[in-house]
Amino acid sequence: MVNPSGPPVVLITGASRGIGAATARLVAARGWAVAVNFVSDMSSARALADEISADGGEADVFRADVSDAAQVAAMFTAIDERFGRAALRGLVNNAGVVDRAARVDEMSPDRLQRMFAINTLGSFHCAREALRRISTRHGGSGGSIVNVSSVAARLGAPAQYVDYAAAKAAIDTFTVGLAREVAGEGVRVNAVRPGIIDTEIHASGGQPERAWQSASLIPMQRPGRAEEVAQAIVWLLSDQAGYITGALLDVGGGR
Ligand code: NAP
């Protein structure tokens, strides 16, 4: 099963659909083996891995709720067993959720716990496990981490989801701090900040038409496509961005 001279492996969290799935397709076409993480939609994750394999790439699926540190650790062990511990070179912290539009004075403690557990702590849990494999400090060969933040981190998302925006702002600070912490250990850490992208995340927050309804708020007058965000993620992941670390790259059509 394990091929020591195989392709570099990247774990993409939340890759069963949307930006994660688009990133998986693109990075596989660039020669990476892909660990496709999902939490609930096994059939979509499996179909994506099968599609990548049918196109000549390599991919497998790994279930874990990124907010659960034990599940994350078990997922990394499973990835080690599938591809070899030394093969891991990349992590895309993409899994994320929104909730219903609400004001802060309406937000329950449970909602806030979930928002920060998945969107912020999940990225810490995955980065910790990845660094133990890729950092030269731990005997690794180096690699790259790309975090998926949001332009909401600087806009604040008032009357929509200030909790989500704050959780993503924490990702921005996490990116800058971690980048500087591990810059001498062969690991680059960057973030993309998507604007309004046409994916199913808006339906999951009770606003299925949000992407196109928001077009007039976007200087380019249209929502972005998942594939357009994937291009930025894959570039930051790649050696082409070899001198870039701690960067926050907006992919927001000018928003
Ligand atoms: P999406 O279509 O709703 O997909 C979310 C993905 O995350 C799914 O694959 C889902 O897996 C996974 N996921 C959810 N909770 C998880 C958990 N606890 N553990 C592991 N995986 C989990 O979202 P998207 O629009 O592609 O967004 C991807 C990232 O971009 C998110 O971080 C989001 O905040 C960010 N972003 C999106 C936009 C936008 O407008 N779309 C804008 C800015 C930033 P299952 O299918 O298995 O449930």
Side-chain angles (χ1 to χ4, degrees):
M1 205 73 137
V2 174
N3 175 4
S5 59
V9 174
V10 57
L11 166 62
I12 304 174
T13 66
S16 52
R17 68 179 195 218
I19 292 167
T23 304
R25 286 190 182 92
L26 183 61
V27 84
R30 301 278 167 84
W32 292 69
V34 187
V36 174
N37 161 255
F38 69 99
V39 66
S40 61
D41 190 355
M42 160 82 105
S43 62
S44 292
R46 187 74 260 167
L48 174 64
D50 290 348
E51 177 193 322
I52 288 171
S53 301
D55 287 343
E58 197 174 349
D60 212 339
V61 301
F62 299 89
R63 204 200 82 79
D65 178 341
V66 296
S67 70
D68 183 324
Q71 290 186 30
V72 168
M75 169 172 66
F76 273 83
T77 301
I79 293 169
D80 294 344
E81 287 165 1
R82 170 65 175 82
F83 296 106
R85 188 177 170 98
L88 191 76
R89 291 284 195 290
L91 166 66
V92 180
N93 274 318
N94 167 77
V97 293
V98 295
D99 209 321
R100 303 258 149 182
R103 292 169 47 95
V104 171
D105 54 14
E106 300 164 343
M107 291 177 185
S108 69
D110 283 351
R111 168 180 169 139
L112 297 175
Q113 291 282 359
R114 171 177 176 266
M115 192 58 59
F116 282 83
I118 297 173
N119 290 346
T120 306
L121 298 186
S123 294
F124 275 82
H125 297 323
C126 292
R128 177 176 56 239
E129 293 299 327
L131 288 166
R132 289 175 179 174
R133 291 160 174 82
I134 65 178
S135 165
T136 56
R137 185 165 186 260
H138 293 280
S141 305
S144 178
I145 297 174
V146 180
N147 297 321
V148 182
S149 173
S150 170
V151 296
R154 57 175 168 71
L155 298 175
Q160 288 274 319
Y161 19 69
V162 171
D163 52 347
Y164 170 84
K168 291 298 191 180
I171 289 298
D172 289 358
T173 305
F174 171 56
T175 301
V176 172
L178 181 61
R180 291 173 179 179
E181 189 166 293
V182 299
E185 300 171 20
V187 183
R188 294 183 301 102
V189 185
N190 293 290
V192 296
R193 296 198 294 197
I196 297 176
I197 310 302
D198 191 9
T199 72
E200 293 173 55
I201 200 170
H202 308 293
S204 73
Q207 304 180 73
E209 308 303 326
R210 179 171 182 261
W212 280 100
Q213 277 172 352
S214 307
S216 63
L217 304 174
I218 303 166
M220 286 180 69
Q221 300 288 302
R222 68 167 178 88
R225 290 182 282 108
E227 292 74 17
E228 291 173 308
V229 183
Q231 290 284 352
I233 293 172
V234 172
W235 177 67
L236 286 171
L237 201 60
S238 77
D239 290 343
Q240 290 179 324
Y243 196 55
I244 300 175
T245 198
L248 310 174
L249 177 57
D250 286 4
V251 187
R255 192 158 186 259

